[in-house]
Structures are given as C-alpha cells and as structure tokens.
Amino acid sequence: MRFTVYFDGTGNNKDLNTSEGTQTNVARLFDLDTAKGTNLASRLRLSSLVPLVLGACVLMPFASPALQAKEVSLQDNQGQYQPYTPGMKLPDGVFPPMKGYTHGDLIAAAQARVEAFMKAQKVDPTLIRESLIALATHLNTRLEKEGAEYQISSWYQKPYDDPQARNRSVERLGEHFGGVAVDGAADSLEGSPLLYKGREFCSDLIGAAGDGVHDLIVTLNKPGA
C-alpha cells in the first residue's frame, strides 16, 4: 500500500481555482491520479536517490556508509548552466556527460514517446509541434537544475566494489529522472489546449514522457552498454 501526499504551498484553492482553469500543477496531478487510480506522484520521490542532489551538491557514493557532499559548480557567474566542453575542469569524482545520455538525449527520448502518443490520439500536427517545443523547454530547465547529464555519467562510471550496486544505481537514476520528466511534462501542459482533452489523456501524456526518460537511462544496465 502506498500513500501519496500532495503539498502545494502556493496558497491557491484547488476547488475554487479548478473551475477557473487556474489550478496549480500539484492540483492537476491530484486530479489526474484521482481520476485514473494511478500514482504519478510516486515518480517524483526525490528521496529515491538518498538524495541525488542537495542544491549544488552531489552525493558520492551510494555505497559509502557516510555519504559525503561534493560541490559541483554547473553555473557561471550569471547563474547560467554550463554545458560540458572538451577540457573543462570538473571536480574529482565527477565525469563528463556520456554520449547518448546528455540532456538533449533525455529530452529526445521523452519527446519521442509523447509524439507517438499524440499521433495515436490524432492530435493536430501543429499542436503536436508546439507541445513538443514546450516539453523540451520545461524539461531542459529541470534537467539543468539537477545537472542530470553529470549525475548519470558520474553514478554510472564511478568504481563499485559490488557490480550489482551499479545496476541498482542505474535503476534509481531511471526512476528519479523519469520523475523529473513527469514534472517537466506537467509544467509544459500549463495553459495548453491539450488540457481540454481530459484527465486521462493528460495523465497518459505525462506518463509517456517519464517512461521515455526512464527507459533510456536503464539501457545502461544492458550487456555491452
């Protein structure tokens, strides 16, 4: 049995704002779960990585009896995310993003699933294109906030005494960043005409984004990855 708590600190009133179409994403998630009997919020369990990120800190390693926080600066003086460039100096224990698992790759995986879902639902091509752009924008913001491409690479490439520990790390990365994709997809629907297609449609679309990112990351556990 799983209990989900929806916390919304905006001061909005779900019941009153829903009729006006101004309810928050937390309220929308609650309604989606209630309507479908799902638990999309379970994908948002940031504690699943014990946690992966605390502000700008990366916790290394999983297997350590006492997790140690290591500062990782991924922003310039203006607070802008700094993508990796060849020769860029990184803190000890932090690896450059891996080919196939960059932010762009994660976004493309989410977009592919969402696009396939919308085409199957016969959504207007122009609306599909606009929705995919919105998804990319919101998901990229969330991935950069967590330095996802560095996190995935570092957790995967760090040394492990137990080979199975790497597999467990990959599974947790998939769950965590699948949750980040769910959150980004929910953000991208704010104000979208897709909301008029109903709760089940939106729930499936959000889930498709999360599944796309999750399924890409866990391919690291396949032989030969």
Side-chain angles (χ1 to χ4, degrees):
M1 179 179 294
R2 177 176 291 158
F3 294 92
T4 304
V5 177
Y6 300 81
F7 177 76
D8 187 343
T10 63
N12 287 27
N13 183 298
K14 184 184 80 69
D15 295 327
L16 294 179
N17 293 128
T18 297
S19 62
E20 301 172 354
T22 58
Q23 72 272 35
T24 65
N25 285 331
V26 174
R28 289 190 177 97
L29 184 59
F30 172 84
D31 287 338
L32 289 171
D33 280 346
T34 301
K36 199 174 182 183
T38 57
N39 193 4
L40 291 170
S42 67
R43 284 189 173 274
L44 306 180
R45 287 177 291 164
L46 303 186
S47 60
S48 64
L49 287 178
V50 203
L52 260 181
V53 180
L54 290 177
C57 296
V58 176
L59 300 181
M60 299 283 186
F62 269 123
S64 172
L67 295 176
Q68 302 295 317
K70 184 181 292 293
E71 291 290 337
V72 178
S73 176
L74 301 175
Q75 298 180 338
D76 60 18
N77 293 333
Q78 285 73 46
Q80 297 297 311
Y81 180 78
Q82 292 296 287
Y84 181 77
T85 55
M88 180 176 173
K89 183 174 177 57
L90 296 172
D92 293 340
V94 177
F95 290 79
M98 296 186 299
K99 183 179 180 180
Y101 300 91
T102 65
H103 291 168
D105 296 314
L106 298 175
I107 291 169
Q111 286 182 313
R113 291 290 184 89
V114 170
E115 182 177 18
F117 168 74
M118 288 194 289
K119 284 183 175 179
Q121 297 296 314
K122 303 187 184 304
V123 175
D124 177 75
T126 299
L127 182 53
I128 290 178
R129 183 170 59 255
E130 293 174 349
S131 300
L132 293 176
I133 292 172
L135 174 62
T137 300
H138 287 279
L139 182 50
N140 185 65
T141 297
R142 291 190 172 274
L143 293 173
E144 288 188 350
K145 182 178 179 180
E146 300 205 19
E149 55 192 1
Y150 292 97
Q151 296 271 19
I152 294 168
S153 180
S154 300
W155 281 109
Y156 180 71
Q157 297 188 78
K158 68 177 289 294
Y160 289 87
D161 295 330
D162 176 10
Q164 291 303 313
R166 175 177 283 106
N167 290 345
R168 290 192 294 271
S169 293
V170 169
E171 291 170 359
R172 292 173 181 175
L173 286 163
E175 180 178 348
H176 176 76
F177 288 113
V180 171
V182 164
D183 209 6
D187 289 345
S188 73
L189 288 177
E190 186 168 356
S192 170
L194 292 175
L195 291 174
Y196 293 105
K197 290 187 173 291
R199 296 172 179 174
E200 183 173 355
F201 175 93
C202 293
S203 176
D204 288 344
L205 184 151
I206 290 170
D211 288 342
V213 170
H214 169 273
D215 292 351
L216 173 62
I217 293 173
V218 298
T219 59
L220 287 168
N221 277 341
K222 291 184 176 180

